[in-house]
Amino acid sequence: MLQHFGPQVINLLAALLLLLAFAMLSQRRILSLINLFAAQGFVLFLSTALVAALTDQKHLYVSAAVTLVLKVILLPWILHRLIRRLNVKWDVETLINIPTTMLVGILLVILAFNLAAPISQLAGTVTRSTLGIALASMLLSFMMMITRSKAVPQVIGFLSMENGLFFAATAAVYGMPMVVELGVALDVLVAALILGIFVFEIRERFDTLDTRHLEKLKEH
Amino acid sequence: MSAAGIAAQFTELALAVLLAPLLTGWVNQCRAWLQNKSAPGIFQPYRALAKLFQKEVILAHNASSLFRSAPYLIFGSLALSAAIVPTLGTDLPLNEAADAIALVGLLALARLFIALAGMDVGTAFGTLGARREMMVGFLAEPALLMVFFTASLISHSTSLSTIVETIAHRELVIYPSMAFAGVAFVMVSLAENARIPIDNPATHLELTMIHEAMVLEYSGRHLALIEWAASLKLFVHMCIGLALFFPFGIAGGGDWVGLVLALPALLAKLAVGGAALALIEMLSAKMRIFRAPEFLGTAFLLAVLAMLVHVMLEG
Amino acid sequence: MLGPRNLRLASRLLYPAGAVAGLGLAAVALQAIFESPASRVLPLGLPDLPFHTRIDALSAFFLLLLGAVAAGISTFASGYLRAGEGQPPGLQCLCYHAFLASMAAVLVADDAYFFMVAWETMALSSFFLVTSDHRQAEIRRAGYLYLLIAHLGAISILLCFGALQAGTGDYTFDAMRRIEQPAGWATVAFLLALAGFGAKAGVVPLHVWLPEAHPAAPSPVSALMSAVMLKTAIYGMLRVTLDLIGSPLWWWGVIALAAGLVSALFGIVYAAVQTDVKRLLAYSSIENVGLIMSGFGLTLLFRGFGMGTLAALALTATLYHCLNHAFFKSLLFLSAGSVLHATRERSLDRLGGLIHRMPWVAWCALVGTVAIAGLPPLNGFVSEWLLLQAFLFTPGLPHAYMNMLVPVAAAAIALAAALSGYVMVKFYGVMFLGQPREASLSEAHDAGPWERAGLLWLAAGCVALGLAPVTVISLLDPVTRSATGYGIGSHAGSWLFLAPIEPLRASYSPLLFFVVATLLVVVTWLSVRVFYHGRVRRSGPWDCGFPYLDSRMQDTAEGFGQPVRHVFEPFFRITLETPSPLDSRPRYRELVEDRLWYWLYLPVARAVERVTALVTVLQRGRISVYLMYSFATLLLLLLFVR
């Protein structure tokens, strides 16, 4: 029964991931963004655990546990604390309005799926169509980084890009070597550290987290 | 078209017309429980209707015959839409007369007439309500249509009975596109039935209302019919949701036993649905009217996304 | 014999005669749809280029449209155009019938020469009709714009025919049909046809003449232009692509579909913010033309991929919508005309409450409103239903991106359809319902007997086309068969149920629908009367107890359009003047204009002006200079052309 329902549930989780990516795109409040990011981490945990059960790869259980601890518990907690310290709970203003963003998002989804289609043909798993969705959610997170003007949502966008990548790795090709995973996770951690320092510097310099103020650093 | 089908058709229509106020009463009761208040009882809408029917109708001097006939037209259209949605059985004789697109058109027809009736007397509230109702309509109707499209793409048909048959009676398959469509449908239903977060059904603050503003000039039996039609609309929307997303329990064609079992199943599902609606209303705040287009735009785009997800993952 | 009284009498007789002729034409065309194509060479025209005519199923269908709608409009005009509207009535009658005749000629023309002659006559006669009230500068300006864009379109069509004749010099359509065009030239011809016929049909961005010309013309003329003239452009498009070129490429369909979607959304969004009745209807025509073009694009798409039956379905939806639009749009324009004659007001902000003074016009307009909003059981719903059914098959397209992008297009169509409901509630509610916004409206009189007859004919047409779709589809079957090789009429279901593909897939029965709905309404009414009572008491409006209600408190047309202005703000160019809180006499002014006018037309106009400024250098004014030009040209020709 697991073999029959497993791939279907993975497809469902892929759809949920896409839904969460769109929800993050259309969300105005930063608190809700963090909660959605935690939800994305939870979906990732479920799908990794399911893939581990389906393919019987022990190291994926470990990876699922790590995902749960890091992305569902630790990172959201750090972000919540950051928000409270920086006092940035206000509504997020976007560079282009939300319906247009979502429309562009839909076009990106079509593009991503068609780009991933030839690669999906090569993969041997039943859930290969999720590769397109994972690529789409990465592109959507990237777009979220572009259209937000405050620093914290941009950081969240970067982190959710990595979520998309992780999902692509586990669901579409049933896991990647542990070494690669650890390498990617380390990259993300270092990047988050640097972004954290960056955020504090901006705050110190401009007394606001609006990244449009960085334009003042131009030569003239 | 079998005898069971005809029986199902009549029972469905009668059930919808008779039980719709009960559903509204149940939702109000659940809301009161959640807010730790005591509700007036689940049969209160019936008492309200009875009171209104007995009262005299007071018409403005410049109310036209369109104003006088609109309540009957609205009630008739919504009753017909209740007859089309398969709630007890799928072998309905009216199934071949109207499909999902015709159902959306029928709901739009009711909306057109109530908006025109709101504009008829020429008060500020009537036109305000009509304008807002049509605004909610022009965004919610395409979203609803796209939800039906997703279901149609899955079942290769726009006929509601075939959709229900496909989803209920074939082997259990999880459709991710229906997850998107489900979220979009809930958002659209909340908007169309004038529920929080779009409109507050209990408010009488004119600046914040949509539905109440349009029917301000109605009284007596006309108002009773319109209130009844509004409960019927909620009933129809909930039944559409059940038919698309939880159709288990709806009898197939010509199955008398299944038909008898479908009735308690329907009542149970409606009870759960009503409680869920009360919970959603409790947990949300009414949004500014200018945010409503964003809300509905999100619903519309989610419905479009549902179609895309279907083509991508299930095509 | 040619005295003014006799001329007036003649013109009074001619309009009803024209109506009868229209009915006759419709009957003949109805026969001709089912017969095989008949052609004839007329002895008119130049000695070497006689007029070829041909009636096949496609022409016959559009002739049927022309005849049936013109019958209603001419009946209306018999009562309406008695005074001539700024022109002598005899002259107007002549132009009107020349217009009708030229449109019929366009539909039967079988060679490029006759086609262009008829096309030009159509443009010129309609120009004279549009500028009937030529003493007003605004109307002259609208007529000039109309003529300009009509001629730009005509040049494009001429070039298209030039491309189609492929160097053989034979401009008859028969010859063009026989030629096998290479893909490059065929594409050039298609694009030229799209530009030329699109300009006449009002496809964005060549639409700017429509909202100017329709309000300027007298109402029967606006109705005729919107209902029939736009369809001749669609006919031209169909004729060139499906008949003369023969085998369309699939990506032409994408272009047509995109143009159609943009026009549909653009048109309806602009209609929602108008305050002039006829401009609103003109923009709504742009939207409907957009829907027709989308259906046409879908046909080409399916045909290009070899999906014949689906192409037939899309083509049926397109042609059905042409017929429907002709009926309901002319009905609405004529109602607006009646209101204009009765109240002398064209601005929605000065109308209101007319359902009491003009019941005939109001109830016919209600039929038109419900029809154009695409609501069951009337005709607008049937064509939209067919179009949406065709869109439901698009995920099956064999192309990777198309099978995802085209379903998204269906969402845009649904949005345009929902918006048209909004616009029509605004149109009907502000004009006929509510309180009268001006005191003079109490003197409004209802339409005369001729006008009522015309309106009733068109309203009956809307109802009939809605309740008997299978009959209409069996009419369209020969047309789609000749155009695409397939037809859906044979299995479109029985007379009661419309099931274009198969009954399990989708089925609609408007008659049953209508009967059951009426039954439910009557049963409700009777039950309430029987169980309770039917007492009514009249009093002032409730209005939440506010006693000082006046007509300025209801929504204006501009106010009703505010949600659309707010949601679709990037579409418009809005100039807003709001008063400051300290103003003792606050004034509010908002101007909503067409962006394309500023982005496309004004820059082009300025560029043309600059070029002409350069060329006017040649115009010295001295005779010796001009003689020198002729002399230089003569020398050049003698030297270089041996």
Side-chain angles (χ1 to χ4, degrees):
Chain A
M1 202 193 77
L2 190 65
Q3 291 299 330
H4 174 63
F5 276 114
Q8 286 186 22
V9 176
I10 293 186
N11 276 346
L12 182 64
L13 291 172
L16 276 175
L17 195 76
L18 193 61
L19 184 63
L20 287 168
F22 263 100
M24 292 212 294
L25 210 57
S26 70
Q27 199 48 245
R28 284 173 171 265
R29 302 172 58 218
I30 300 192
L31 272 174
S32 318
L33 270 179
I34 300 176
N35 292 338
L36 285 171
F37 175 67
Q40 238 188 9
F42 190 68
V43 166
L44 230 55
F45 157 69
L46 282 178
S47 78
T48 318
L50 194 58
V51 171
L54 272 176
T55 57
D56 217 19
Q57 296 181 54
K58 301 291 185 224
H59 73 95
L60 279 179
Y61 282 116
V62 175
S63 151
V66 169
T67 310
L68 183 68
V69 168
L70 269 183
K71 291 187 185 163
V72 183
I73 302 178
L74 197 61
L75 271 175
W77 181 74
I78 295 179
L79 285 167
H80 272 294
R81 276 197 49 182
L82 195 67
I83 296 286
R84 249 171 290 153
R85 275 185 61 185
L86 294 173
N87 214 13
V88 281
K89 289 185 190 172
W90 312 128
D91 267 351
V92 172
E93 313 140 23
T94 52
L95 283 176
I96 41 180
N97 68 339
I98 288 180
T100 319
T101 328
M102 289 194 72
L103 207 59
V104 177
I106 287 188
L107 290 173
L108 281 177
V109 168
I110 297 179
L111 185 71
F113 192 72
N114 282 300
L115 285 175
I119 310 174
S120 307
Q121 307 287 356
L122 293 175
T125 64
V126 189
T127 55
R128 54 179 179 266
S129 41
T130 56
L131 194 63
I133 290 196
L135 183 62
S137 65
M138 275 178 65
L139 287 176
L140 286 172
S141 315
F142 202 166
M143 195 168 81
M144 193 176 103
M145 280 179 71
I146 298 174
T147 59
R148 303 289 188 175
S149 53
K150 292 225 158 75
V152 176
Q154 288 175 338
V155 170
I156 296 180
F158 179 74
L159 292 172
S160 70
M161 263 177 80
E162 201 265 332
N163 278 353
L165 183 63
F166 191 74
F167 186 79
T170 52
V173 294
Y174 285 172
M176 38 183 188
M178 201 62 179
V179 174
V180 178
E181 268 186 49
L182 284 176
V184 171
L186 188 65
D187 273 336
V188 172
L189 210 58
V190 169
L193 206 65
I194 297 180
L195 281 170
I197 301 176
F198 189 50
V199 159
F200 275 105
E201 274 300 308
I202 300 178
R203 188 60 184 309
E204 293 244 339
R205 182 73 62 119
F206 298 110
D207 213 15
T208 169
L209 275 182
D210 196 334
T211 47
R212 288 178 289 200
H213 287 243
L214 286 170
E215 288 176 12
K216 287 188 203 153
L217 294 171
K218 279 195 294 200
E219 284 282 309
H220 48 94
Chain B
M1 179 159 56
S2 57
I6 300 181
Q9 179 77 81
F10 277 106
T11 323
E12 272 185 25
L13 183 57
L15 209 64
V17 169
L18 292 173
L19 282 189
L22 185 62
L23 179 65
T24 312
W26 168 247
V27 172
N28 290 339
Q29 176 77 292
C30 290
R31 226 189 10 223
W33 278 334
L34 286 169
Q35 290 174 341
N36 214 9
K37 297 195 265 200
S38 64
I42 55 177
F43 294 107
Q44 181 62 17
Y46 289 106
R47 292 182 210 122
L49 285 178
K51 172 187 80 169
L52 282 172
F53 270 120
Q54 283 170 359
K55 290 195 166 191
E56 200 178 35
V57 163
I58 301 192
L59 281 181
H61 289 302
N62 60 339
S64 63
S65 38
L66 181 68
F67 188 80
R68 287 181 73 167
S69 47
Y72 300 101
L73 291 169
I74 296 165
F75 188 81
S77 341
L78 285 170
L80 181 58
S81 58
I84 296 174
V85 179
T87 49
L88 291 176
T90 58
D91 190 21
L92 305 173
L94 277 182
N95 170 48
E96 296 199 354
D99 65 342
I101 306 178
L103 180 63
V104 174
L106 196 52
L107 292 172
L109 188 67
R111 184 175 41 239
L112 181 101
F113 276 113
I114 202 170
L116 286 179
M119 295 186 80
D120 190 67
V121 180
T123 62
F125 299 114
T127 50
L128 175 97
R131 177 188 356 130
R132 289 179 175 181
E133 173 76 12
M134 292 315 289
M135 176 183 77
V136 168
F138 81 67
L139 288 168
E141 186 191 316
L144 186 60
L145 200 58
M146 288 300 116
V147 169
F148 276 125
F149 262 35
T150 311
S152 305
L153 288 176
I154 292 177
S155 56
H156 297 291
S157 160
T158 54
S159 156
L160 281 163
S161 293
T162 317
I163 294 176
V164 171
E165 287 271 339
T166 314
I167 301 180
H169 294 150
R170 287 203 207 148
E171 54 160 307
L172 184 64
V173 182
I174 304 178
Y175 293 107
S177 55
M178 292 305 258
F180 279 84
V183 176
F185 182 76
V186 169
M187 291 168 87
V188 166
S189 289
L190 288 174
E192 287 265 21
N193 290 296
R195 297 267 145 195
I196 294 178
I198 297 286
D199 185 12
N200 189 347
T203 187
H204 289 279
L205 286 175
E206 295 84 22
L207 281 179
T208 56
M209 57 184 173
I210 302 178
H211 182 81
E212 295 292 321
M214 279 190 298
V215 302
L216 210 55
E217 296 296 324
Y218 276 117
S219 54
R221 59 182 181 275
H222 294 158
L223 184 60
L225 279 174
I226 292 202
E227 294 288 326
W228 202 342
S231 334
L232 201 51
K233 192 169 179 184
L234 180 63
F235 190 92
V236 167
H237 268 265
M238 213 169 268
C239 289
I240 295 177
L242 292 175
L244 288 179
F245 304 107
F246 302 103
F248 322 107
I250 300 182
D255 184 10
W256 283 101
V257 176
L259 209 56
V260 172
L261 288 177
L263 184 58
L266 177 69
L267 292 173
K269 285 191 277 186
L270 282 175
V272 171
L277 175 61
L279 189 64
I280 296 176
E281 285 206 281
M282 254 280 296
L283 293 175
S284 336
K286 184 180 172 317
M287 52 174 67
R288 290 176 62 197
I289 195 75
F290 292 124
R291 293 264 188 260
E294 256 178 42
F295 179 80
L296 287 166
T298 313
F300 180 46
L301 291 170
L302 278 178
V304 173
L305 205 59
M307 266 200 327
L308 282 178
V309 167
H310 168 76
V311 175
M312 290 196 291
L313 285 182
E314 301 150 19
Chain C
M1 241 253 305
L2 286 175
R5 194 169 338 134
N6 290 338
L7 269 177
R8 235 173 288 152
L9 187 63
S11 70
R12 278 196 189 185
L13 286 177
L14 263 177
Y15 284 112
V20 172
L23 280 176
L25 182 64
V28 166
L30 199 58
Q31 273 293 92
I33 290 182
F34 294 103
E35 292 164 11
S36 53
S39 31
R40 191 184 295 196
V41 181
L42 295 178
L44 301 167
L46 297 180
D48 278 333
L49 293 172
F51 290 162
H52 293 81
T53 61
R54 184 168 181 265
I55 299 186
D56 61 355
L58 189 63
S59 320
F61 172 72
F62 280 96
L63 279 172
L64 172 67
L65 191 154
L66 171 63
V69 174
I73 299 181
S74 294
T75 317
F76 183 89
S78 319
Y80 190 87
L81 287 177
R82 299 222 162 159
E85 302 282 319
Q87 241 181 18
L91 188 60
Q92 193 167 57
C93 182
L94 176 69
C95 285
Y96 181 90
H97 290 95
F99 187 33
L100 281 176
S102 57
M103 283 197 284
V106 165
L107 294 174
V108 299
D110 197 39
D111 71 281
Y113 174 56
F114 186 25
F115 190 92
M116 292 312 298
V117 167
W119 193 261
E120 275 299 308
T121 318
M122 196 172 77
L124 282 177
S125 52
S126 54
F127 168 72
F128 285 118
L129 285 169
V130 165
T131 52
S132 290
D133 199 5
H134 55 89
R135 289 186 185 81
Q136 298 188 35
E138 185 185 271
I139 292 185
R140 282 200 306 271
R141 185 177 154 271
Y144 176 73
L145 186 62
Y146 170 50
L147 201 60
L148 181 67
I149 297 192
H151 277 99
L152 286 175
I155 293 175
S156 191
I157 297 172
L158 201 57
L159 288 174
C160 166
F161 283 135
L164 282 176
Q165 54 91 23
T168 57
D170 188 357
Y171 281 89
T172 58
F173 284 179
D174 269 331
M176 292 180 193
R177 270 185 267 268
R178 279 194 294 265
I179 295 175
E180 266 302 318
Q181 296 274 359
W185 278 111
T187 310
V188 167
F190 173 75
L191 291 173
L192 284 170
L194 189 63
F197 289 114
K200 182 60 98 183
V203 174
V204 171
L206 296 164
H207 66 284
V208 278
W209 62 272
L210 245 170
E212 309 285 336
H214 278 69
S219 306
V221 175
S222 314
L224 210 51
M225 278 168 60
S226 211
V228 191
M229 194 177 76
L230 300 188
K231 308 303 176 306
T232 55
I234 305 288
Y235 161 80
M237 200 70 242
L238 288 170
R239 174 65 74 193
V240 168
T241 319
L242 292 174
D243 195 19
L244 297 183
I245 298 183
S247 47
L249 301 175
W250 67 267
W251 56 272
W252 297 354
V254 178
I255 299 177
L257 183 61
L261 285 176
V262 171
S263 305
L265 281 174
F266 186 92
I268 201 66
V269 163
Y270 268 85
V273 297
Q274 297 302 317
T275 53
D276 180 322
V277 172
K278 286 189 169 182
R279 274 184 85 106
L280 189 149
L281 291 175
Y283 274 112
S284 165
S285 288
I286 298 181
E287 183 235 348
N288 280 289
V289 164
L291 287 178
I292 294 172
M293 283 304 275
S294 311
F296 174 60
L298 209 57
T299 314
L300 292 180
L301 203 57
F302 281 133
R303 183 85 192 285
F305 284 118
M307 300 156 89
T309 330
L310 297 175
L313 179 61
L315 188 59
T316 310
T318 313
L319 292 173
Y320 210 126
H321 199 77
C322 286
L323 194 56
N324 286 341
H325 182 239
F327 271 90
F328 54 60
K329 191 43 73 64
S330 49
L331 179 59
L332 288 173
F333 262 114
L334 296 181
S335 319
S338 289
V339 169
L340 181 56
H341 255 200
T343 62
R344 305 247 157 266
E345 292 290 353
R346 221 171 67 191
S347 165
L348 277 171
D349 286 330
R350 293 167 181 267
L351 296 171
L354 290 171
I355 193 172
H356 303 284
R357 302 287 316 173
M358 309 175 70
W360 281 91
V361 174
W363 287 101
C364 289
L366 185 63
V367 171
T369 308
V370 174
I372 197 173
L375 300 174
L378 293 181
N379 56 351
F381 179 72
V382 180
S383 52
E384 262 177 41
W385 190 83
L386 286 169
L387 192 61
L388 288 173
Q389 292 291 345
F391 266 106
L392 273 174
F393 284 101
T394 51
L397 286 172
H399 188 272
Y401 279 89
M402 285 302 124
N403 70 342
M404 283 194 228
L405 279 174
V406 181
V408 177
I413 299 267
L415 183 62
L419 271 169
S420 74
Y422 179 95
V423 172
M424 284 308 136
V425 167
K426 168 176 164 166
F427 168 80
Y428 194 80
V430 174
M431 197 155 86
F432 288 107
L433 302 175
Q435 302 174 54
R437 289 179 180 78
E438 292 282 319
S440 56
L441 292 176
S442 55
E443 296 153 26
H445 58 86
D446 205 354
W450 284 110
E451 293 159 0
R452 280 184 216 179
L455 289 173
L456 281 174
W457 168 255
L458 292 169
C462 289
V463 173
L465 287 173
L467 291 181
V470 185
T471 321
V472 181
I473 291 186
S474 59
L475 261 179
L476 289 172
D477 197 43
V479 185
T480 55
R481 257 180 226 288
S482 73
T484 62
Y486 293 84
I488 60 170
S490 52
H491 49 273
S494 65
W495 67 277
L496 192 58
F497 294 102
L498 170 64
I501 304 296
E502 57 158 33
L504 269 181
R505 166 114 203 175
S507 161
Y508 170 59
S509 167
L511 205 55
L512 202 59
F513 186 99
F514 179 66
V515 165
V516 176
T518 319
L519 207 65
L520 283 170
V521 170
V522 169
V523 164
T524 315
W525 186 80
L526 279 175
S527 329
V528 172
R529 280 296 155 106
V530 164
F531 289 122
Y532 295 100
H533 58 82
R535 289 201 302 273
V536 164
R537 180 155 60 97
R538 292 266 177 180
S539 139
W542 160 236
D543 202 22
C544 269
F546 185 71
Y548 306 115
L549 182 65
D550 72 11
S551 65
R552 295 296 303 157
M553 289 180 190
Q554 40 180 2
D555 256 10
T556 57
E558 192 192 311
F560 205 88
Q562 192 266 350
V564 170
R565 242 195 337 269
H566 181 79
V567 172
F568 290 101
E569 206 181 310
F571 275 64
F572 307 108
R573 185 194 156 97
I574 300 181
T575 332
L576 195 57
E577 271 175 35
T578 44
S580 81
L582 308 171
D583 262 333
S584 57
R585 309 183 84 215
R587 296 191 59 148
Y588 169 86
R589 191 162 159 272
E590 184 166 19
L591 193 60
V592 179
E593 291 171 298
D594 190 344
R595 263 197 204 277
L596 283 173
W597 185 250
Y598 289 89
W599 280 353
L600 184 60
Y601 287 86
L602 282 185
V604 168
R606 269 183 234 125
V608 168
E609 259 180 74
R610 254 177 276 142
V611 168
T612 46
L614 289 175
V615 173
T616 42
V617 169
L618 288 174
Q619 211 176 17
R620 284 304 167 120
R622 282 168 50 179
I623 295 190
S624 39
V625 176
Y626 294 148
L627 286 173
M628 198 178 73
Y629 289 153
S630 315
F631 189 59
T633 316
L634 188 60
L635 281 179
L636 271 170
L637 285 174
L638 285 173
L639 282 173
F640 290 112
V641 181
R642 302 292 175 89

